[in-house]
Structure formats: structure tokens, C-alpha cells
Amino acid sequence: LLRDPLTGLANRTMFHERVERAVAARRRDEAHLAILLIELGQVAVGAPSDPGTDDSARREIGTRIERLVRFEDIVARVAEDQFAVLVERLRGPEEITAVAERISTAVREPIVVDGHKLAPEIGIGIAISDGQDVTADTLLNDADVAMYLSKQNQTAYEMYAHERDPRVGERMVLATELRQAIPRREFVLDYQPLVDLHAGRPHVGERPFRLHVAVGGDREDRVGHAAARVLRPEPQLLGLGVEHDR
């Protein structure tokens, strides 16, 4: 199924497929595209909300967003309280910021459901394809970072900028520590069986590549915090070419 059952909008799977197709088309015709990621934080005024009220509000917000974009743009509900918009053939950044401003104003208008007034609070993140070879996942991740900044700064929207990405500094810390770990032989190849509880025996094994640092001290804290916050850090992303024996 490629439709969200609550709103009738595209779901996350369909949206991701459309973004992938748009990115592929952009490589051919060099047209720009943008993603807006919108996260809700509803506030019930005068009465506590319930699941039925929340769902009615989500349907209304999805309808409002859909009315504000072009027919060829796609609107999706990608999580319980997250919506996304894909805008293709973008003429310039001012076009997408105008869309974000319209959505911010419309979504913040109070919603009355069964006599309860809901005043949604939202964060909007924008990611625009640039001259580099972007991917669908890169755009979605960048929009997510911008949305986080919008909520944190309580702004109508935020445009993704590489220099403001909080992940960048953490990746640099982790990359430095990993480079130091290689000559120090702090990488350990462990063998870890996965046990079938019903059969009572191992049925497959993993060989995780772990980084062991000395317990205690500032260095352990730096490595631990960076690794925990940078999700699935890959050597290629960190600029590391790691060779290891089989």
C-alpha cells in the first residue's frame, strides 16, 4: 500500500520512491527540487486531546497542506505527526520559502474538532538539491536536520545549510578519533552468535567490528558521545579508508 489510510495522502514508501525518481530526473535535466518536512506539536486549548480528536486534526492539516501546493507536487504523511512535500522544477530558493511561509501560516490556524480548539505548533525544514550529486536519503536527512533547527529556534522554517548541521562537528570528532584508533590497534573483531531460543542453539553468527578505548577519561566520552549521535557512521562518509586482514 502506498497511501496513508488516515489522510489518503502518499505514505513514506511512496514519497521516498517519488523523491528517488525526481533525483534521477534532476541528473538528466539539471532542474532543482526541494523537500519540506513538517512536524506537528499540537496543543489542545480548553480540553485534553484524545486519539480521535488528534486524528481529525491530522486529516485537516493534511488537507490544508495539499491545498497550498501545486497539482504536480506531492504531499505525504511520513510519520504519525510528520508531513512532507516534494517540489520539483524549482525556479529558485524564494519559491520554496514562499511555500513554507504559506504552510506555516495555514497550519498554525486553530482547528476546532468536537468543540475542542487545537492550536498546532510546527517545525518546517527545507532541503534543496544543489549542484552536487545528491540522493533521496541525503535530501530527507538534511530536511530532518533543518526541521529540528526550526523547532529548536521556534522559527517558521529553516533552510538546511551544511555549516549549521550539528552532525558535521560530531562526524569530525569521530573521524579524528577513528584515525587515532587505527595505529593504536583499538579496533577489535568480535565473534557474536545469535541464538534461536526455541531450538536452543546458535543459528547464525555476526562479526561486529568494535572500537575499544580505555575506560574513563575525556577521550572515552568524546568517542562515545560522537558515535552515539552520528547514526551508522561509515568509513566512506568520514573520509577513512580502513584496511583490515581477513
Side-chain angles (χ1 to χ4, degrees):
L1 296 177
L2 299 179
R3 291 284 173 182
D4 172 50
L6 178 67
T7 62
L9 299 171
N11 62 15
R12 188 177 188 88
T13 300
M14 182 178 179
F15 186 77
H16 193 277
E17 290 176 357
R18 283 289 302 270
V19 175
E20 286 183 326
R21 290 205 297 268
V23 168
R26 171 190 170 271
R27 294 194 184 108
R28 292 192 300 269
D29 57 22
E30 297 185 354
H32 288 285
L33 59 97
I35 291 176
L36 291 91
L37 197 59
I38 305 142
E39 183 166 274
L40 311 178
Q42 298 177 34
V43 178
V45 179
S49 62
D50 59 66
T53 300
D54 291 343
D55 284 346
S56 296
R58 293 182 185 111
R59 281 193 291 268
E60 170 62 21
I61 288 170
T63 299
R64 290 183 182 184
I65 295 172
E66 199 169 28
R67 288 173 180 166
L68 293 171
V69 300
R70 304 172 305 184
F71 176 78
E72 62 267 27
D73 299 331
I74 181 171
V75 180
R77 181 173 176 239
V78 295
E80 184 177 40
D81 289 320
Q82 279 189 8
F83 294 83
V85 180
L86 170 64
V87 179
E88 299 184 63
R89 300 191 177 280
L90 197 65
R91 290 187 292 269
E94 65 281 353
E95 182 179 2
I96 197 64
T97 55
V99 173
E101 288 172 357
R102 291 199 300 269
I103 290 175
S104 178
T105 299
V107 172
R108 283 187 167 90
E109 285 292 319
I111 302 170
V112 179
V113 180
D114 297 330
H116 302 323
K117 181 182 287 187
L118 301 177
E121 296 178 352
I122 67 169
I124 301 178
I126 303 171
I128 301 178
S129 63
D130 53 22
Q132 300 174 355
D133 191 20
V134 300
T135 66
D137 288 332
T138 298
L139 281 174
L140 288 165
N141 289 337
D142 291 349
D144 188 65
V145 170
M147 182 191 67
Y148 167 78
L149 292 173
S150 173
K151 295 182 68 176
Q152 184 183 56
N153 300 332
Q154 297 184 335
T155 53
Y157 61 85
E158 290 284 349
M159 186 91 70
Y160 176 80
H162 178 76
E163 62 273 11
R164 298 180 61 200
D165 189 337
R167 299 171 301 177
V168 173
E170 289 161 349
R171 282 199 179 113
M172 291 177 63
V173 169
L174 187 56
T176 300
E177 297 296 347
L178 291 177
R179 287 190 182 93
Q180 294 175 355
I182 294 170
R184 291 172 180 170
R185 299 182 178 274
E186 291 176 329
F187 284 109
V188 177
L189 184 61
D190 289 337
Y191 293 87
Q192 178 174 296
L194 298 182
V195 179
D196 185 335
L197 295 179
H198 295 289
R201 62 176 183 270
H203 69 98
V204 70
E206 293 182 337
R207 293 191 299 174
F209 205 37
R210 304 186 190 280
L211 172 62
H212 288 187
V213 297
V215 177
D218 293 339
R219 185 159 179 267
E220 182 195 21
D221 291 339
R222 288 200 307 273
V223 175
H225 288 310
R229 288 179 58 84
V230 179
L231 299 180
R232 295 198 308 166
E234 301 175 7
Q236 296 88 345
L237 294 178
L238 296 169
L240 296 172
V242 181
E243 296 182 1
H244 59 85
D245 297 330
R246 291 181 182 274

